[in-house]
Amino acid sequence: MRYLYYGLFVIGAYLVLAMVPLFVLLVGPDIPGRGFWRELSVGLGFAGLSMMGLQFFLTGRFQVVTSPYGIDVVYHFHRAISLLAFFFLLLHPAILLLSAPATLGLLNPVSAPEWITAGSIALFAFALIVISSLYRLQLGLGYECWRMIHGYVAVAAVALSLGHMIGVNYYLQVSMKRGLWIAITITWVLALLYVRLVKPLLMRRKPYTIEAVIPERCSSWTLLLRPEGHAGMEFKPGQFVWLTIGKSPFTIREHPFSFSSSALHPEKLAFTIKELGDFTATIGSVTPGTRAYIDGPYGSFTPDRHQFSGYVFIAGGVGITPMMSILRTFADRHELRPLLLFYGSKEWEEVTFREELELLQSQLNLKVVHVLTEPPAGWTGEQGYIDAEVMGRHLPEKRMECEYFVCGPQPMQEGIRSALEQLGVPSEQVQSESFNFV
Ligand SMILES: Cc1cc2nc3c(=O)[nH]c(=O)nc-3n(C[C@H](O)[C@H](O)[C@H](O)COP(=O)(O)OP(=O)(O)OC[C@H]3O[C@@H](n4cnc5c(N)ncnc54)[C@H](O)[C@@H]3O)c2cc1C
């Protein structure tokens, strides 16, 4: 309930902050009206820009913003609201042009005042951000290249939009309205400075050393990190961080990874990483002693938020990492509640943490159900994909009193959600973590 109220408060705060510039247009000394369509166009421009500026808060990984929902939900919201904001920004010139076709000439950068051209370039910059985000994979843009475009072009687009607004100097003639926009701009700049400067500086004060790089089954590696001169990081089992290895904390070359270690040991952190792309393919060659920085903890994929009488975990492939953190933490806490893990893998030899899961079954009230798509000859366990039938055979009678955690490839997550729905599990009892939210 606490999270619900807080979540509603965050949504309310977002709406107020996004709409304040519009309300402020209405207060203060009257400015002679310029007709409905022109005012609507300007209002949409203000609202769109205000929403774009607020993106610095949504993507700045501020705990106050992310804690009620989890960062993946906030990123989805960021994506959806950006499209709406971009639509408002597009409507701003579109309505002007349609209601007063004479303004078409303003699109010519040679003859148009520079503040109009600034607005046009800003619109192109926002379009570039939207298109590169929606079609990143189709355009063949690597994640890092995309992130660079996204970060720098966004700042340029917002700055140019502000320049456009100041240049128009219509509503901003009124000192109160000008003051408000200056205050809004300052908060955006402060958010940006915090994310790009203050946060990396804080991370630099808390470095980690990679103590060991341990090979695991299925082309995965476990990195053990020791804090250098500080107590480490407190986190909840199931959460994740952004990890930077061998580079300055100011770099944008950071990647998200879930803790795989017990939350009761903030002084000895482990991350288990599967070789999937250009960065993760290099993990096996990281040398012990390399310095690392972590930004976190983030995420709401943890059993520590709500109390249930049992927990069911459903993992596919490397999606086992947050579950390992949860199970290792539970073992350290001497947890007695019933736990059930469905773990989908391709082959028996590829089952990461297979031996430790065996051990955990003897330490906890835990049952592990391995589900293999390519089982070895003589395999008597479950095979194929984890679906309603497989789960139905193993779920406890009190399945409605359990909380469910799902982490794995996107198609698996969707399949599990509908399978659980078929089995009558209320969707609010199902938590999922996506390793692919960008
Ligand atoms: C919350 C979360 C927890 C994760 N936990 C683990 C884990 O415990 N173990 C594990 O092996 N993997 C985990 N991942 C996935 C891991 O972050 C990606 O596999 C890794 O970043 C891929 O990087 P790459 O350069 O090797 O591959 P690339 O080929 O460059 O990227 C493959 C895909 O990974 C995603 N990706 C790449 N870099 C980033 C980034 N910096 N931020 C967000 N997404 C990115 C992109 O969607 C990209 O298309 C997690 C991801 C998320 C979002």
Side-chain angles (χ1 to χ4, degrees), residues 10 18 36 49 61 68 78 95 100 112 168 175 181 295 371 397 411 424-425:
V10 171
F36 172 76
L49 180 58
R61 304 180 201 158
H78 156 69
I95 292 176
V168 174
S175 55
W181 269 102
D295 176 21
V371 185
E397 255 174 50
V425 175

Side-chain angles (χ1 to χ4, degrees), residues 1-274:
M1 216 52 178
R2 187 166 55 99
Y3 285 107
L4 177 70
Y5 290 136
Y6 184 55
L8 290 175
F9 168 74
V10 171
I11 292 177
Y14 177 85
L15 288 175
V16 169
L17 288 172
M19 293 304 142
V20 155
L22 278 185
F23 294 129
V24 170
L25 290 183
L26 304 173
V27 295
D30 248 2
I31 295 183
R34 296 175 292 180
F36 172 76
W37 291 110
R38 192 147 178 199
E39 292 303 336
L40 177 68
S41 146
V42 172
L44 287 168
F46 277 131
L49 180 58
S50 165
M51 285 156 83
M52 285 298 189
L54 281 175
Q55 305 292 8
F56 295 132
F57 289 94
L58 291 180
T59 55
R61 304 180 201 158
F62 293 97
Q63 297 279 7
V64 283
V65 179
T66 60
S67 63
Y69 307 103
I71 200 161
D72 52 339
V73 173
V74 173
Y75 277 148
H76 282 301
F77 179 72
H78 156 69
R79 224 181 307 177
I81 210 77
S82 300
L83 292 180
L84 184 65
F86 181 60
F87 181 59
F88 285 177
L89 290 175
L90 270 182
L91 283 179
H92 168 55
I95 292 176
L96 273 184
L97 291 175
L98 287 173
S99 61
T103 49
L104 198 64
L106 291 175
L107 291 184
N108 180 354
V110 180
S111 53
E114 59 276 20
W115 41 269
I116 292 284
T117 307
S120 307
I121 299 174
L123 205 56
F124 277 113
F126 281 125
L128 179 68
I129 296 170
V130 169
I131 291 167
S132 64
S133 303
L134 290 180
Y135 303 105
R136 178 173 75 85
L137 297 178
Q138 290 88 330
L139 292 169
L141 271 181
Y143 176 82
E144 254 101 32
C145 175
W146 166 78
R147 195 169 163 196
M148 196 103 86
I149 295 177
H150 207 76
Y152 291 120
V153 177
V155 174
V158 170
L160 284 165
S161 307
L162 285 167
H164 169 71
M165 226 171 64
I166 293 164
V168 174
N169 197 24
Y170 185 72
Y171 278 109
L172 297 193
Q173 296 164 25
V174 180
S175 55
M176 186 187 157
K177 293 173 193 188
R178 194 169 51 240
L180 176 96
W181 269 102
I182 291 172
I184 291 175
T185 310
I186 288 174
T187 60
W188 294 348
V189 173
L190 286 179
L192 206 64
L193 283 179
Y194 177 77
V195 173
R196 294 270 163 255
L197 205 66
V198 178
K199 205 186 246 196
L201 280 173
L202 292 174
M203 280 159 67
R204 201 165 67 172
R205 286 172 55 185
K206 292 194 169 180
Y208 290 79
T209 304
I210 298 200
E211 196 179 67
V213 182
I214 304 163
E216 305 280 2
R217 288 178 187 277
C218 198
S219 333
S220 301
W221 302 86
T222 291
L223 298 181
L224 286 184
L225 271 68
R226 287 272 181 198
E228 270 180 48
H230 58 99
M233 181 174 280
E234 300 274 345
F235 65 97
K236 292 189 171 65
Q239 286 192 301
F240 70 96
V241 299
W242 260 270
L243 177 66
T244 307
I245 299 176
K247 294 207 158 42
S248 139
F250 292 92
T251 178
I252 62 153
R253 290 220 70 184
E254 45 168 11
H255 292 254
F257 295 106
S258 303
F259 292 95
S260 58
S261 51
S262 164
L264 267 60
H265 292 288
E267 78 298 345
K268 190 177 71 182
L269 306 177
F271 301 93
T272 302
I273 299 174
K274 186 173 163 67

Side-chain angles (χ1 to χ4, degrees), residues 348-366:
W348 185 233
E349 289 311 312
E350 285 192 359
V351 180
T352 318
F353 299 121
R354 193 175 92 186
E355 292 77 7
E356 190 175 347
L357 285 169
E358 207 55 46
L359 191 72
L360 283 166
Q361 287 193 91
S362 61
Q363 295 171 353
L364 288 162
N365 184 2
L366 166 71

